[in-house]
Amino acid sequence: MAGVSLECRDCGAQLRSVEEAQEHAELKGHTNFAESTTRVLNLICTTCGKPCRSHIETDLHTKRTGHAQFADKTSEAAKPVVLESRPAAGEDEAMADAEGQKAKEELVVPEVNKDLLAELEGMGFPVARATRALYCSKGGSVEEAVNWIVEHEDDPDIDELPKVAARKAEPPKPTLTPEEAKAKAQALVEKARRKKEEEEKRAEREREKERIRIGKELLEAKRIEEDNDRKRIIALRKAEKEEEKRAREKIRQKLGEDKAERRRKLGLPPEEPKAAADAVPLVVEPFEKEAKKSTLPVRPATKAEQMRDCLRSIKQTYKEDDAKVKRTFQTLLTYIGNIARLPSEEKFRKIRLTNASFQERVGNIEGGIRFLELCGFERDETGEFIILSHGKIDLILLNTAGAELNSAISNPFFGVL
């Protein structure tokens, strides 16, 4: 297969054309290039059209822009490498002069490893063939030279000595004084240090952008979670109001049935609804009113109200030490939040009562353990632990407890009035 790219033997970079190889040589100072049958990747971003030449470039592009779809145009862009560059207009004469000058240069047989040449001669290979094989295979080893001979044994010039232009004596490099050498070394060190600082700044900017992005995502997730908690609390309170309404209706209905039963026992006719509505209310003495009030069933306090009263009692008991109260509320919120987030984790549902940190933050606070009991915690048989068993986990109740704690922490007037 014809070469479709040039490979830099110094760093391994794949280049599409001679022009790219020349630019690479000028930038990097590399001069060892060879034809390669490996195509240079041409991956086009389907979103913005940016071309990428490697999977590393596609990964970086995806990280910066979020674009992840790329079209592979490698086969369309791959073209055979033309090693003979075409002269630009007006350069024909200069190239002709250069070629004439090159033709006048003396051609000599290149030097090869004498030991390897003698070994190949000992194998029976002609001197010209062995010399050409060692020169073309870079003189690495006898095995490489033999492989080259096998691959090129049909070449018409295989038994001709290779010719190369004689090397001109390079002018001696000017020697530097100790002061100049020290100054040059210092300049190189400063250049390397500046390059490193620029790379560190660029990496820091990338990290800062990543931190900002993650922060925005966390804030958005927190906002969504707060909205969901607010909706759950609203739904819970609505359900409580409906339950209270149904309970009042049952009580009213029961009172009506009892009243009708008493009239029936006294032999009185059933009371007509309209007459009952138009009846003039009787004047009742205060003590009789109190007696009637005492006979009505009292609506039991809901768990939310009990929790609120418990937190209000803690706030009023330790009103002189606001920091202690806030720390207790936050500790209780942490316990409740861990269970609501991971209800299957037993370690969050089992608290040692003798734990020093627990005693300081909750255990020694009057009403702290009571609040946990309202959330479903119970003491075990030994009395050493307070446990919320898996079967008694009520996520709605835990959410209610979290809402009450949040309100107690964020409301500066909680428990004051």
Side-chain angles (χ1 to χ4, degrees):
M1 180 178 178
V4 293
S5 65
L6 292 174
E7 179 184 0
C8 178
R9 292 292 180 84
D10 294 328
C11 65
Q14 296 292 134
L15 307 163
R16 288 197 182 96
S17 63
V18 175
E19 289 75 11
E20 289 190 5
Q22 291 174 347
E23 293 178 1
H24 182 78
E26 292 176 359
L27 292 174
K28 302 292 186 179
H30 300 166
T31 58
N32 190 7
F33 298 92
E35 284 188 83
S36 174
T37 57
T38 303
R39 294 186 177 95
V40 179
L41 291 178
N42 186 31
L43 304 174
I44 307 298
C45 178
T46 57
T47 305
C48 64
K50 175 179 173 57
C52 298
R53 300 178 60 156
S54 66
H55 291 292
I56 295 177
E57 290 187 18
T58 59
D59 293 341
L60 290 174
H61 183 68
T62 301
K63 185 177 180 181
R64 292 192 186 104
T65 63
H67 303 163
Q69 298 296 329
F70 296 88
D72 192 350
K73 304 290 185 179
T74 303
S75 57
E76 299 177 9
K79 296 180 181 178
V81 175
V82 180
L83 298 179
E84 297 179 0
S85 57
R86 297 181 180 178
E91 296 181 357
D92 293 341
E93 294 181 2
M95 289 184 62
D97 294 341
E99 290 177 359
Q101 183 67 25
K102 186 176 180 181
K104 292 178 182 180
E105 292 179 355
E106 182 182 358
L107 299 178
V108 296
V109 178
E111 294 182 2
V112 295
N113 190 302
K114 302 298 183 182
D115 295 335
L116 298 180
L117 179 62
E119 191 172 348
L120 289 172
E121 289 180 12
M123 293 180 182
F125 293 106
V127 177
R129 181 174 297 194
T131 302
R132 181 174 288 274
L134 287 172
Y135 173 73
C136 294
S137 65
K138 308 300 181 184
S141 64
V142 173
E143 184 178 357
E144 293 179 1
V146 172
N147 291 337
W148 188 93
I149 292 173
V150 173
E151 293 176 359
H152 298 82
E153 60 183 354
D154 295 330
D155 293 355
D157 58 349
I158 191 171
D159 288 324
E160 297 179 5
L161 287 171
K163 298 288 185 177
V164 296
R167 292 185 178 179
K168 295 181 180 180
E170 296 182 358
K173 295 182 178 179
T175 58
L176 301 175
T177 63
E179 292 77 9
E180 292 175 343
K182 185 176 180 180
K184 185 175 181 180
Q186 185 66 24
L188 292 175
V189 170
E190 289 296 331
K191 183 178 179 181
R193 186 179 293 111
R194 286 195 300 270
K195 183 178 180 181
K196 182 179 179 181
E197 290 176 356
E198 291 175 359
E199 292 178 353
E200 290 177 352
K201 289 179 180 178
R202 182 163 53 251
E204 182 62 28
R205 286 195 296 269
E206 293 293 332
R207 288 193 293 269
E208 184 63 25
K209 290 180 181 178
E210 187 69 14
R211 284 195 292 269
I212 292 173
R213 183 186 64 81
I214 294 174
K216 290 181 179 178
E217 291 180 356
L218 291 176
L219 289 176
E220 181 65 18
K222 184 177 180 180
R223 185 189 65 78
I224 294 174
E225 183 179 0
E226 291 176 351
D227 289 344
N228 293 336
D229 290 342
R230 188 160 46 250
K231 291 177 181 178
R232 284 194 295 268
I233 293 171
I234 292 174
L236 178 63
R237 291 179 176 174
K238 184 177 180 181
E240 290 178 352
K241 289 181 179 179
E242 292 292 333
E243 182 66 23
E244 292 174 1
K245 184 178 179 181
R246 286 194 294 269
R248 286 195 297 269
E249 186 64 30
K250 288 181 180 179
I251 293 171
R252 190 179 296 110
Q253 184 178 359
K254 180 65 177 175
L255 290 174
E257 292 175 355
D258 292 344
K259 187 175 181 180
E261 180 65 18
R262 286 195 300 271
R263 292 180 66 86
R264 186 184 64 79
K265 288 181 179 181
L266 294 173
L268 300 175
E271 184 180 10
E272 296 182 1
K274 186 175 180 181
D278 296 338
V280 178
L282 297 176
V283 178
V284 184
E285 295 298 327
F287 71 91
E288 294 180 353
K289 289 183 179 180
E290 294 297 329
K292 286 191 175 183
K293 286 182 180 179
S294 63
T295 59
L296 294 177
V298 179
R299 178 180 65 84
T302 62
K303 280 295 182 73
E305 293 173 343
Q306 295 178 26
M307 291 177 180
R308 195 176 305 121
D309 292 340
C310 181
L311 296 177
R312 188 179 291 111
S313 174
I314 294 173
K315 179 78 172 181
Q316 293 175 352
T317 301
Y318 302 94
K319 60 183 178 180
E320 301 299 331
D321 194 348
D322 188 63
K324 178 187 288 189
V325 173
K326 187 173 182 180
R327 184 177 59 182
T328 300
F329 289 173
Q330 290 175 342
T331 303
L332 292 172
L333 183 61
T334 301
Y335 286 142
I336 301 304
N338 288 338
I339 299 173
R341 188 174 69 259
L342 295 171
S344 60
E345 286 289 342
E346 184 180 359
K347 64 181 181 180
F348 294 143
R349 297 184 283 105
K350 187 175 182 180
I351 304 173
R352 186 186 296 273
L353 293 174
T354 57
N355 181 274
S357 178
F358 173 78
Q359 283 294 322
E360 180 184 359
R361 294 171 177 267
V362 178
N364 291 332
I365 302 300
E366 183 179 350
I369 297 178
R370 170 59 181 163
F371 186 86
L372 293 175
E373 291 176 344
L374 290 173
C375 296
F377 279 86
E378 296 177 345
R379 296 176 185 264
D380 65 349
E381 297 176 354
T382 63
E384 184 179 0
F385 295 93
I386 183 171
I387 301 172
L388 176 59
S389 59
H390 190 273
K392 293 187 177 181
I393 296 176
D394 188 346
L395 292 179
I396 296 178
L397 182 61
L398 294 177
N399 286 332
T400 302
E404 295 298 336
L405 285 167
N406 275 322
S407 176
I409 293 172
S410 59
N411 185 3
F413 303 103
F414 180 82
V416 176
L417 302 177

